[in-house]
Amino acid sequence: MNENNMLCDLGAPRGLPAGVAWHPGHLAPARQAAVLAEVLRCLAEAPLVRPVMPGDGKPFSVRMSSCGPLGWVSDRSGYRYQERHPGTGRPWPAIPPLLLTLWDTLTGYPAPPEACLINHYDAAARMGLHQDRDEAALDAPVLSISLGDTAVFRVGGTARRDPTRSIRLASGDAVLLAGPARLAFHGIDRVLGGSSRLLAGTPLGGGRLNLTLRRVSLPYVK
Ligand code: MD6
Ligand code: FE
């Protein structure tokens, strides 16, 4: 790791909270297209579904699917990781090789990710401020990859009331929440509809995909 990367990993040079590493344009356009093709194959096997909030059953504005041994789901009974797609009842498709490579390169974590959550946003979709805390492996970063339309991403501290910073995540950007930022509150305030053409000619018809790769269980302890 060179000195620039180290500064970047600390987050401070961009005024981001410590532990937030933003890599704008990490995926060049050809690699964005290659990752997208792999993700579309996953979605053909494990279609996007619109989850609902635990308790009140209010629908999410994003649609979700997953790949990997575990997928993250939300329904009236709660949030959890499970081994099967809630609609088809089949196991989730494998995490595509390009995403496994990105995980190795960007996290250096000594075990593979177990879940890749696939979120699709249309121009009206949002994601409220939340923590990713359903994983036992809190020592592993969460890696996010953005494809398609630009989104306004807000990230703060580990308390909901902490001050926040906003950045625009464009197609090809990678973000890591690691170390002191692993439990940082974060969310998507809005999507700039039509800001990218990447998803326009696909069955998704446009919008934004966000992929979050997570290690769920502690490695080597089964
Ligand atoms: C999104 N991202 O970009 C939502 N981002 O659509 C996340 O929720 C997220 O869970 C970066 C790291 C972890 C995350
Ligand atoms: Fe999250």
Side-chain angles (χ1 to χ4, degrees):
M1 183 185 293
N2 66 32
E3 196 182 341
N4 276 336
N5 271 336
M6 288 187 54
L7 289 169
C8 207
D9 285 345
L10 291 171
R14 299 183 197 275
L16 291 168
V20 180
W22 178 28
H23 301 269
H26 184 75
L27 283 81
R31 203 142 66 110
Q32 294 172 36
V35 171
L36 174 61
E38 289 188 337
V39 171
L40 291 174
R41 282 194 285 274
C42 291
L43 293 177
E45 212 178 307
L48 291 164
V49 298
R50 189 177 304 282
V52 299
M53 291 294 291
D56 67 8
K58 190 173 179 287
F60 283 40
S61 62
V62 299
R63 292 183 303 149
M64 293 186 173
S65 186
S66 287
C67 52
L70 294 171
W72 188 87
V73 299
S74 176
D75 60 23
R76 278 181 179 272
S77 48
Y79 305 130
R80 65 192 169 276
Y81 282 99
Q82 65 180 42
E83 292 172 3
R84 287 169 186 272
H85 185 285
T88 67
R90 291 198 303 261
W92 305 99
I95 298 177
L98 288 172
L99 292 175
L100 294 176
T101 301
L102 281 167
W103 171 268
D104 286 343
T105 306
L106 287 169
T107 72
Y109 193 73
E114 294 169 295
C116 174
L117 179 63
I118 304 168
N119 286 329
H120 180 258
Y121 296 73
D122 64 20
R126 312 250 184 288
M127 173 80 65
L129 216 57
H130 68 277
Q131 291 170 297
D132 286 23
R133 52 181 304 163
D134 297 327
E135 302 79 24
L138 290 175
D139 62 323
V142 177
L143 168 61
S144 126
I145 306 292
S146 294
L147 295 174
D149 285 346
T150 295
V152 181
F153 177 74
R154 179 192 293 271
V155 60
T158 54
R160 190 175 278 279
R161 61 182 154 69
D162 287 342
T164 60
R165 276 277 327 255
S166 290
I167 58 178
R168 286 182 175 209
L169 295 183
S171 195
D173 288 8
V175 176
L176 288 150
L177 296 184
R182 176 61 181 77
L183 290 175
F185 278 88
H186 59 279
I188 295 291
D189 288 345
R190 65 197 170 93
V191 171
L192 311 182
S195 50
S196 163
R197 298 290 302 157
L198 185 68
L199 308 191
T202 74
L204 298 170
R208 171 176 186 260
L209 281 172
N210 180 257
L211 316 170
T212 47
L213 291 127
R214 302 102 183 272
R215 179 74 197 184
V216 178
S217 58
L218 288 167
Y220 321 125
V221 185
K222 271 262 154 123

